[in-house]
Amino acid sequence: QTHATTNKASHRSTHANDTAKKSVTSKSSSHQTIQDSSSHGHVASVKHSKSKDHSTVRTDDSTFLSNIPSSLESTNLHSHGSSTIFSSLHTVAPPGFKVRVGVGVLVKDPLKPGNIFCGKRKGSHGSGTLALPGGHLEMFESWEKCAVREVMEEMNVNIRKVRFAHVTNDIMREEGKHYVTIFMMGEIRDLNARPKNMEPEKCEGWDSYSWEELQQIEKSGHPALFGPLRKLLRDDPDTIRNYLKKRLFRV
């Protein structure tokens, strides 16, 4: 009898120890899972419980996906069952590559106030395409000063009443370039002045086009348009249409 009692007591003790070990192991495993999950930083992963009623714990993947802008071309989404892992919102560019800021200027033609000047590019990316005068925004330079400087350098005319018109995000994958283009509007100060081609190695010359003519060119594809100008025409902002309707006055 004493031996039987001792065996029962030993069995209960062993069972209690095993239960305690399992509990500790379970807590440790749970803690490790939390640590592993938190260490991923930007990677969000939601797992379902083993309960039969998954509807109470499932993630709303459709809502999650609908809130992601469709313009994010390099979004990397992975679906695993009804769990969603959102791994990255951007593509890492090769070393040395960076997004640059360009300024394009809509300069009114004094002889045809509804028209703006464009020229065919030469010797750089977009060669052979029709583009507005403009160039890179320099360090510590305002958008207005950049517009005035670029127009003077390229057309030898001074512009006034310079103001913001529009902005486009221009991704040129084939050329390995990415620009944010700021479009400014301005009027030639001297209404008798005509633009000159000051950089013949970069431009074939300046011609005057109406907004409607440029839109027809965009639709036909001939001549080809520089990417930022093409996107601007497709956006067709009211600010530019209203601006081109206004007449020029001498000061």
Side-chain angles (χ1 to χ4, degrees):
Q1 186 177 1
T2 301
H3 179 70
T5 301
T6 301
N7 285 342
K8 288 181 180 180
S10 176
H11 178 73
R12 283 196 298 269
S13 176
T14 301
H15 179 72
N17 288 337
D18 290 343
T19 302
K21 287 180 181 178
K22 288 180 180 179
S23 176
V24 170
T25 301
S26 176
K27 289 180 180 179
S28 174
S29 175
S30 175
H31 179 66
Q32 184 64 38
T33 300
I34 294 172
Q35 284 184 331
D36 290 346
S37 176
S38 63
S39 68
H40 281 78
H42 67 279
V43 179
S45 177
V46 181
K47 295 184 179 180
H48 291 264
S49 92
K50 293 181 180 179
S51 125
K52 292 182 180 179
D53 183 11
H54 292 290
S55 61
T56 60
V57 294
R58 70 185 182 89
T59 57
D60 190 353
D61 291 345
S62 59
T63 301
F64 176 72
L65 292 172
S66 67
N67 289 330
I68 299 170
S70 59
S71 60
L72 293 172
E73 298 179 350
S74 55
T75 298
N76 186 12
L77 294 176
H78 304 283
S79 180
H80 181 69
S82 52
S83 300
T84 299
I85 300 175
F86 188 54
S87 63
S88 178
L89 273 176
H90 66 280
T91 298
V92 178
F97 283 77
K98 59 183 178 180
V99 179
R100 303 197 66 177
V101 178
V103 175
V105 191
L106 293 94
V107 180
K108 275 188 176 183
D109 182 349
L111 301 182
K112 299 177 180 178
N115 286 21
I116 56 177
F117 290 104
C118 295
K120 278 191 179 182
R121 294 171 63 88
K122 288 173 58 179
S124 63
H125 71 283
S127 182
T129 62
L130 200 62
L132 297 169
H136 293 109
L137 183 70
E138 301 294 345
M139 185 71 72
F140 308 123
E141 189 175 40
S142 69
W143 301 349
E144 293 83 2
K145 287 184 178 180
C146 179
V148 172
R149 175 181 59 77
E150 288 289 351
V151 170
M152 177 57 73
E153 290 175 357
E154 297 181 6
M155 305 176 71
N156 196 38
V157 292
N158 193 12
I159 58 174
R160 66 187 185 117
K161 294 185 178 180
V162 180
R163 71 207 80 169
F164 173 77
H166 196 61
V167 63
T168 57
N169 184 38
D170 303 299
I171 299 172
M172 309 171 189
R173 294 191 181 279
E174 292 182 359
E175 299 172 7
K177 297 181 182 295
H178 183 177
Y179 278 84
V180 171
T181 306
I182 299 164
F183 292 95
M184 306 295 287
M185 306 177 292
E187 303 171 1
I188 296 178
R189 189 177 295 277
D190 181 358
L191 299 187
N192 293 317
R194 300 304 291 170
K196 298 177 182 178
N197 187 10
M198 303 303 293
E199 298 177 334
E201 74 283 1
K202 296 181 180 179
C203 177
E204 292 184 10
W206 301 106
D207 290 308
S208 178
Y209 299 85
S210 71
W211 190 249
E212 290 71 25
E213 284 176 324
L214 290 172
Q215 287 189 316
Q216 287 299 319
I217 291 173
E218 191 277 321
K219 289 179 181 178
S220 68
H222 302 287
L225 297 174
F226 190 47
L229 177 57
R230 183 173 63 249
K231 186 170 288 189
L232 177 67
L233 287 162
R234 289 176 180 175
D235 288 352
D236 195 17
D238 290 336
T239 51
I240 292 176
R241 282 191 168 275
N242 295 334
Y243 170 71
L244 294 176
K245 289 177 182 177
K246 295 180 180 178
R247 296 183 60 187
L248 297 176
F249 296 96
R250 292 183 184 272
V251 178

